[in-house]
């Protein structure tokens, strides 16, 4: 433990409560990873159960200028929840209450540690529906989904997490608790701080409560599996009746679940077949998907990697996977050129380097491929306004100067 931490720990214990503060190895290890293969150890773990404790934590962190890294389930795949230079990991998993579900207003008030799937079950019992459904929906939290603006298969039709957040309760870096947004479907008072926090990867504020927009539960769900001869046909004006080689209909909820279970396994199946795998969630206008896939194949061939693509084609969001049967320093270095070339192609096609996984630490060196200098400068100023001491999830999104 760093020498000056003794004082910080005793202050945390006396103001937040002994049982919410951890420094033992077992606990620190449980928070040193996320959905990447990277490992960074925190110095302290805090697991609060209410916003007052989060606020106290930030006041102490401000006093000692110590980094605080908000964390949900740790399924993020760009390193957003990793304590890259140590500090305090703030786990929001204990704040996991669904506070209310209002059938008339069609809203839910939830704490950030609620698991996405638990929310789905709770609202569907009342005939309501919360569409955002990342493939990690049985583990990832609403707080993490908000911080990453997570999407999933249903987002093609219904939109991403952002489209279902009406308002937030947040704790700022100095410990101030404040509300953003509205409880209503409409609201245009002042700047849209809610939308600024959504997708900000825990770098601007800590979400301690969310007001979610719900919609009526769809009366019927039809799930089809269609086969096309090539991606060009699919990305064009594909007509199931005329262009699909075959179409399978999931005739029961069990069969539907089986289809989706196969889809959710893609990631692991690709990983199992190689020593080294990396993937990017680039997104292009749907008409450009064939060019993106063709380009990805060429990049893979040029650098001697294998390439597998799947994703949310209706959103233009392709999970471009590259694998190698071997992993060493040269291959890892070569993978950086692969990623850079893929991102350059994506932006050239009018796309974005991240459709849903965020920038975190794994993509920050590529930020300038998509954003202008002016845009990065402006965004850094926004970060400074929210977090002048740079203690809230620092060293994320923007590359070090
Ligand atoms: C198998 C698998 C499948 C996945 N599929 C998808 C998918 O289909 N779509 C998709 O979008 N993503 C997907 N992901 C990525 C990941 O699940 C999402 O980014 C998810 O939203 C992260 O939620 P989490 O609770 O695990 O957050 P964490 O990983 O713990 O944190 C992610 C980021 O959110 C911040 N954060 C967490 N909670 C808060 C809070 N309360 N306030 C402020 N900041 C906070 C953290 O600081 C960090 O920057 C997948 C990941 C895995 C491992």
């Amino acid at each position: 433990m760093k020498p000056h931490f003794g004082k910080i720990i005793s202050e945390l214990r006396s103001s937040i409560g002994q049982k919410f503060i951890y420094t033992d190895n077992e606990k620190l290890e449980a928070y040193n990873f996320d959905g990447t293969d990277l490992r960074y150890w925190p110095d302290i773990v805090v697991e609060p159960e209410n916003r007052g404790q989060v606020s106290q934590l930030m006041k102490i962190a401000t006093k000692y200028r110590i980094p605080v890294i908000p964390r949900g389930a740790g399924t993020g795949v760009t390193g957003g929840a990793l304590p890259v230079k140590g500090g305090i990991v703030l786990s929001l998993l204990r704040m996991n209450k669904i506070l209310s579900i209002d059938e008339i207003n069609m809203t839910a008030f939830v704490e950030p540690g609620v698991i996405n799937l638990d929310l789905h079950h709770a609202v569907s019992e009342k005939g309501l529906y919360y569409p955002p459904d990342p493939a990690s929906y049985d583990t990832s939290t609403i707080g993490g989904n908000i911080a990453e603006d997570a999407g999933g298969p249903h987002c093609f039709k219904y939109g991403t997490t952002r489209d279902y957040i009406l308002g937030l309760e947040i704790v700022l870096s100095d410990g101030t608790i404040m509300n953003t947004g509205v409880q209503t479907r409409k609201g245009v008072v002042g700047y849209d701080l809610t939308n600024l926090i959504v997708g900000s990867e825990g770098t601007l504020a800590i979400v301690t409560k969310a007001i979610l927009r719900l919609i009526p539960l769809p009366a019927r769900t039809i799930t089809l599996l269609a086969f096309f001869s090539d991606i060009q046909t699919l990305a064009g004006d594909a007509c199931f009746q005329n262009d699909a080689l075959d179409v399978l209909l999931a005739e029961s909820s069990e069969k539907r679940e089986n289809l989706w279970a196969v889809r959710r396994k893609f990631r692991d199946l690709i990983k199992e077949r190689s020593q080294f795998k990396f993937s990017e969630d680039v997104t292009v206008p749907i008409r450009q998907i064939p060019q993106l896939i063709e380009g990805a194949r060429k990049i893979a061939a040029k650098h001697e990697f294998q390439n597998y693509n799947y994703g949310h084609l209706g959103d233009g969001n392709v999970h471009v996977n590259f694998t190698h049967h071997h992993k060493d320093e040269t291959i890892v270095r070569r993978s950086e050129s692969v990623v850079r070339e893929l991102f350059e192609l994506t932006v050239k096609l009018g796309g974005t380097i991240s459709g849903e996984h965020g920038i975190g630490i794994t993509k920050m060196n590529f930020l300038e491929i998509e954003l202008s200098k002016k845009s990065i400068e402006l965004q850094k100023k926004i970060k400074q306004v929210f977090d002048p001491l740079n203690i809230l999830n620092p060293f994320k999104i923007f590359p070090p100067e």
Side-chain angles (χ1 to χ4, degrees):
M1 196 205 306
K2 290 162 192 157
H4 61 294
F5 275 23
K7 205 156 177 272
I8 300 172
I9 291 162
S10 62
E11 209 162 318
L12 286 170
R13 286 194 170 132
S14 64
S15 86
I16 296 174
Q18 175 90 9
K19 65 174 185 171
F20 303 103
I21 317 296
Y22 303 87
T23 54
D24 58 291
N25 257 358
E26 209 176 310
K27 189 61 110 176
L28 301 185
E29 189 171 14
Y31 288 103
N32 76 0
F33 69 93
D34 69 351
T36 64
D37 290 332
L38 303 165
R39 294 275 179 282
Y40 291 95
W41 286 72
D43 295 292
I44 304 169
V45 168
V46 179
E47 292 181 351
E49 50 185 25
N50 61 57
R51 64 180 182 181
Q53 291 172 317
V54 177
S55 165
Q56 281 305 320
L57 166 64
M58 291 319 298
K59 284 180 184 158
I60 295 168
T62 296
K63 181 171 162 193
Y64 291 98
R65 301 192 173 204
I66 181 170
V68 173
I69 298 89
R71 180 184 172 102
T75 66
V77 288
T78 52
L82 295 175
V84 285
K85 300 215 172 149
I88 302 172
V89 163
L90 162 62
S91 166
L92 291 136
L93 286 179
R94 275 198 195 170
M95 293 177 62
N96 62 356
K97 288 191 212 68
I98 297 175
L99 301 166
S100 63
I101 298 170
D102 186 325
E103 288 128 298
I104 302 290
N105 289 333
M106 291 204 280
T107 52
F109 285 52
V110 302
E111 291 187 332
V114 170
I115 305 297
N116 182 304
L117 183 60
D118 293 342
L119 177 71
H120 269 91
H121 288 320
V123 300
S124 68
E125 274 170 24
K126 296 188 184 272
L128 294 167
Y129 184 48
Y130 176 72
D133 58 342
S136 56
Y137 73 148
D138 54 352
T139 38
S140 68
T141 64
I142 296 299
N145 293 171
I146 291 171
E148 299 287 0
D149 186 19
H154 291 145
C155 294
F156 166 43
K157 180 167 180 188
Y158 296 102
T160 62
T161 302
R162 184 183 296 290
D163 299 305
Y164 294 87
I165 309 300
L166 295 173
L168 296 171
E169 176 189 87
I170 54 175
V171 174
L172 298 175
S173 67
D174 66 358
T176 308
I177 301 171
M178 68 168 268
N179 294 301
T180 71
V182 289
Q183 300 181 27
T184 50
R185 304 258 146 172
K186 290 178 167 182
V188 286
V189 177
Y191 293 138
D192 189 348
L193 295 182
T194 308
N195 255 314
L196 185 57
I197 302 299
V198 177
S200 66
E201 305 190 32
T203 62
L204 298 182
I206 300 153
V207 173
T208 48
K209 189 164 80 185
I211 306 170
L212 309 177
R213 179 169 83 88
L214 305 172
I215 59 174
L217 191 64
R220 279 189 76 195
T221 305
I222 297 173
T223 305
L224 300 171
L225 175 63
F227 297 88
F228 292 87
S229 58
D230 53 59
I231 191 79
Q232 279 78 8
T233 316
L234 180 58
D237 300 319
C239 161
F240 278 84
Q241 238 170 354
N242 300 333
D243 299 324
L245 299 175
D246 200 1
V247 179
L248 304 180
L249 171 68
E251 284 148 352
S252 63
S253 56
E254 198 190 337
K255 286 188 178 158
R256 174 182 316 131
E257 194 32 53
N258 288 346
L259 277 186
W260 281 116
V262 173
R263 162 63 179 81
R264 283 187 209 108
K265 274 194 196 135
F266 283 3
R267 191 173 181 266
D268 291 339
L269 288 174
I270 295 171
K271 201 167 186 174
E272 278 165 22
R273 295 174 63 162
S274 62
Q275 284 294 313
F276 179 39
K277 163 188 165 308
F278 55 100
S279 79
E280 301 301 339
D281 67 319
V282 292
T283 305
V284 292
I286 47 176
R287 206 176 278 286
Q288 268 71 43
I289 293 173
Q291 283 161 274
L292 176 72
I293 290 181
E294 200 189 313
R297 287 190 180 140
K298 281 190 185 148
I299 294 167
K302 177 177 156 196
H303 295 279
E304 295 171 356
F305 282 86
Q306 281 77 49
N307 167 239
Y308 303 89
N309 306 298
Y310 64 93
H312 315 277
L313 293 197
D315 299 324
N317 186 189
V318 185
H319 295 301
V320 180
N321 287 255
F322 297 97
T323 63
H324 206 283
H325 54 80
H326 182 63
K327 185 177 182 181
D328 63 24
E329 251 181 54
T330 324
I331 290 168
V332 171
R333 222 173 305 120
R334 240 163 52 206
S335 71
E336 283 161 26
S337 309
V338 170
V339 173
R340 182 162 284 278
E341 286 174 32
L342 175 73
F343 285 169
E344 283 168 355
L345 170 69
T346 302
V347 171
K348 211 166 97 195
L349 293 173
T352 174
I353 65 174
S354 178
E356 54 184 25
H357 294 161
I359 299 298
I361 52 172
T362 59
K363 288 188 205 160
M364 61 186 181
N365 289 329
F366 304 104
L367 202 65
E368 95 292 347
I369 295 177
E370 181 168 335
L371 299 181
S372 69
K373 273 204 171 75
K374 193 74 205 165
S375 173
I376 295 176
E377 199 184 296
L378 189 66
Q379 294 190 35
K380 281 181 164 175
K381 282 187 189 157
I382 292 173
K383 165 72 174 163
Q384 265 167 26
V385 170
F386 273 84
D387 181 21
L389 299 178
N390 196 26
I391 53 169
L392 193 52
N393 211 0
F395 320 113
K396 305 286 163 67
I397 303 181
F398 307 106
E401 274 162 19

